Amino acid sequence: MTSAPHPEHDPDELCPDGMALYERAVREGHMGVDAARAAPCLIDFGLLHPAVDDVHRLEPVAPAVALHRLLRGSEERIARERRREEQLAETFEPLMTLDGQPPAADATPTLRLLSGKERINTAITEAMADARREMLTVQPRSGLPGTRVEAAYALAIRRDQALLDRGGRIRTLYQHTLRHHPTTVAHHERLRGDIEARALDEITDRLIIVDRDVAFIPADGNGSLALEIRHPAIVGYLATTFDRFWRLATPLFPEAAPQPSHNGITPRQRAIAALLIEGHTDAVIADRLGMNVRTARVHIAKLAATLGSQSRAQLGYLIGQSGILDGER
């Protein structure tokens, strides 16, 4: 009886048949060459190799070794793709501003992909050096270790103070979870000049706007890629968005405005309540509000206790009946 042909699949994927055979080989310690033909991807992945004493028998590579090898290959592919992205961005930069005429020798690209934290910081420093009016910035929860946060603030304080000394102003939006963070407070207290900070429960991802002429936004999830934007329409749109968030935010520095409670419900709990009735999970709520899941669950438990809820479903109903979200939307 002829065996079914091996199904076609992506060369970077291990098919279900291959996974089953590999599991069998690991369990038994070996596999015949004929049996392995049912899933040739095992050989392609390097998960099986001929036994030293019998060329007709295959032995499995240890799962830990195989995983490390495959992950390393994946990292190398990602690195190649990032280099390719950077090369493409540099190749197309001269074309971004074409309007039928050759670009001027001193033309500035309207969009530029920056790769690497050092290059990103250099570009921001250069933009700040030319700034004369203001810097608008959104700073969500960092997620960096404390030493790296302090290093980032140390780099920023020189740029910020230089702008303030030239008569410029700085406006920063934080999440409420950072309003009492010691490093955040210390950073503002060290600066002298026209500087204000406000806080919201939910804000956008990191954003820097300099003199409403140039903006910087993340281009990946770990801070190693950023997009430098000099297109007036896009920068103007981002600045308008910042202004609207700013008007909704609670003053934090130089004087923090009190956050009033409503029938024993804190502003933080109201923000959580709004996300709860939208059906979000604890993990999503924590991410949206810039806190860890454990802290979010503590707030949810306190909210439930205040409203007298005995279950998640009842909590949603009681939130709606309590009126604590009236006027929030």
Side-chain angles (χ1 to χ4, degrees):
M1 181 176 179
T2 304
S3 61
H6 184 251
E8 293 186 3
H9 59 82
D10 191 280
D12 293 330
E13 295 178 355
L14 186 62
C15 67
D17 291 343
M19 179 58 72
L21 284 174
Y22 178 58
E23 182 180 347
R24 172 183 153 194
V26 171
R27 187 183 303 111
E28 298 178 359
H30 62 85
M31 173 170 288
V33 172
D34 291 338
R37 290 196 180 101
C41 54
L42 289 177
I43 304 296
D44 297 337
F45 268 80
L47 298 180
L48 297 175
H49 60 82
V52 175
D53 57 349
D54 187 353
V55 296
H56 299 292
R57 191 180 74 224
L58 299 174
E59 295 178 345
V61 175
V65 175
L67 177 61
H68 176 73
R69 181 192 300 162
L70 293 172
L71 288 177
R72 184 175 59 190
S74 177
E75 291 172 355
E76 291 173 353
R77 287 194 299 274
I78 292 172
R80 286 196 300 270
E81 284 300 312
R82 286 183 174 171
R83 288 194 295 270
R84 180 173 177 271
E85 289 174 357
E86 186 173 347
Q87 291 169 355
L88 286 173
E90 292 175 353
T91 300
F92 277 81
E93 271 183 10
L95 307 176
M96 298 296 288
T97 55
L98 285 181
D99 57 359
Q101 299 295 329
D106 59 348
T108 301
T110 57
L111 296 174
R112 183 167 61 149
L113 183 67
L114 306 173
S115 178
K117 292 181 173 61
E118 183 175 351
R119 186 179 181 193
I120 294 170
N121 282 326
T122 298
I124 295 173
T125 299
E126 291 173 351
M128 289 286 291
D130 296 332
R132 291 293 180 270
R133 301 189 304 276
E134 67 178 4
M135 178 178 71
L136 310 175
T137 177
V138 176
Q139 297 292 346
R141 182 181 62 168
S142 171
L144 295 174
T147 53
R148 291 178 61 187
V149 172
E150 292 173 2
Y153 274 125
L155 175 65
I157 197 165
R158 293 189 293 271
R159 299 189 302 222
D160 294 354
Q161 189 59 59
L163 172 60
L164 295 170
D165 290 343
R166 292 194 295 270
R169 69 174 191 170
I170 295 176
R171 301 291 182 264
T172 303
L173 277 172
Y174 294 101
Q175 282 182 287
H176 277 305
T177 47
L178 288 178
R179 60 186 287 113
H180 300 302
H181 193 284
T183 308
T184 302
V185 174
H187 175 71
H188 287 84
E189 290 179 343
R190 290 174 63 188
L191 293 170
R192 303 175 308 279
D194 186 358
I195 177 170
E196 291 184 33
R198 295 185 180 184
L200 280 172
D201 284 305
E202 292 188 74
I203 55 178
T204 65
D205 206 340
R206 185 164 279 105
L207 168 68
I208 296 175
I209 304 174
V210 181
D211 276 356
R212 302 185 184 241
D213 292 328
V214 56
F216 298 88
I217 61 173
D220 68 349
N222 60 18
S224 62
L225 289 175
L227 196 62
E228 178 185 306
I229 306 169
R230 293 182 179 272
H231 192 291
I234 301 176
V235 176
Y237 179 89
L238 293 172
T240 299
T241 300
F242 179 94
D243 290 338
R244 292 179 179 176
F245 275 123
W246 183 260
R247 286 193 290 271
L248 296 172
T250 302
L252 174 61
F253 184 88
E255 289 189 19
Q259 290 188 285
S261 62
H262 177 77
N263 294 333
I265 306 297
T266 67
R268 178 66 45 75
Q269 291 167 357
R270 285 206 304 275
I272 288 175
L275 295 174
L276 278 172
I277 64 172
E278 291 178 4
H280 296 297
T281 65
D282 295 353
V284 171
I285 291 171
D287 183 66
R288 291 270 294 265
L289 299 181
M291 62 181 71
N292 60 50
V293 175
R294 181 178 300 177
T295 301
R297 287 171 178 162
V298 169
H299 283 296
I300 292 171
K302 290 180 179 178
L303 177 63
T306 301
L307 296 178
S309 172
Q310 302 298 318
S311 68
R312 188 75 166 233
Q314 186 185 25
L315 179 57
Y317 171 78
L318 292 176
I319 289 172
Q321 293 296 309
S322 67
I324 62 174
L325 298 181
D326 291 350
E328 292 284 321
R329 302 180 185 280

